[in-house]
Amino acid sequence: MAVDRARIAELVRELIVAIGEDPERPGLSGTPERVATTWAEFFSGVGMDETEPLSHTISVSHGPAPETVPSGAVILRDVHFRSMCEHHLLPFLGRAHIAYLPGDDVVGLGALPKVVEILAARPQVQERLGEQIAETIATKLNARGSLVILDAQHQCVTARGGKQVDASTVTIAARGELAEPAARAELIALIGRGA
């Protein structure tokens, strides 16, 4: 379902009136359309298939060295993301660190950020976002395990309420073999020190 930009613009005009402003004054006259365009981008993942970027896999066991079986984790650090908190409709921004233990297939590394982008471009909470990324990777790639660490700053914490401008939230989601505490700890250490 595509975002209804015209309806958003109409509602933003109403919001401007509701806060006691004039939606026709020069500084605000184009705001409803700008907000509609922004929200269409923020929520572009609604209705998209998050598994699609993982559709093109590369066989490890049937490649040029069929005796090669993946044994270690594939780790992609510092994937920047932006999402919108569904509680306050304020952005949260951060970095995702993704690891998975391949089965017979791997995926091009560029596919992993696309999964993050699709899932983040929906009304979200950080805890669910990490779980959805981990589940998508584990299921679609038939991975032996997946681990997702999200570290984000939420504007509902940094810009309102207690205004903790440096506070960040870290969440961890794990599946399969990477849900085991020892395996998870090893990867968290590798991600943390940039090894």
Side-chain angles (χ1 to χ4, degrees), residues 35-130:
V35 171
T37 298
T38 300
W39 278 32
E41 181 182 329
F42 279 172
F43 299 117
S44 62
V46 174
M48 288 184 68
D49 178 7
E50 66 272 11
T51 67
E52 193 283 326
L54 304 178
S55 297
H56 307 289
T57 59
I58 303 158
S59 174
V60 176
S61 59
H62 295 99
E67 70 283 353
T68 304
V69 177
S71 60
V74 175
I75 302 171
L76 184 63
R77 292 186 313 226
D78 296 322
V79 175
H80 291 260
F81 72 91
R82 173 201 67 228
S83 193
M84 188 73 83
C85 170
E86 65 186 34
H87 296 150
H88 298 99
L89 292 180
L90 289 171
F92 62 98
L93 303 98
R95 294 178 182 200
H97 310 289
I98 303 165
Y100 74 99
L101 290 172
D104 289 331
D105 296 321
V106 294
V107 68
L109 293 176
L112 298 174
K114 290 176 185 172
V115 172
V116 174
E117 289 170 9
I118 291 169
L119 289 167
R122 301 173 179 178
Q124 277 289 9
V125 294
Q126 182 173 329
E127 298 86 345
R128 183 176 62 230
L129 175 59

Side-chain angles (χ1 to χ4, degrees), residues 120-181:
R122 301 173 179 178
Q124 277 289 9
V125 294
Q126 182 173 329
E127 298 86 345
R128 183 176 62 230
L129 175 59
E131 295 292 340
Q132 289 175 334
I133 297 165
E135 184 66 22
T136 299
I137 292 168
T139 304
K140 185 66 177 179
L141 294 181
N142 197 23
R144 294 177 289 134
S146 64
L147 175 72
V148 176
I149 301 169
L150 301 180
D151 185 352
Q153 289 192 306
H154 294 247
Q155 285 194 359
C156 54
V157 174
T158 63
R160 61 170 296 279
K163 297 180 185 148
Q164 297 298 310
V165 296
D166 293 324
S168 72
T169 301
V170 177
T171 56
I172 300 171
R175 299 289 187 276
E177 293 176 28
L178 295 182
E180 297 296 322

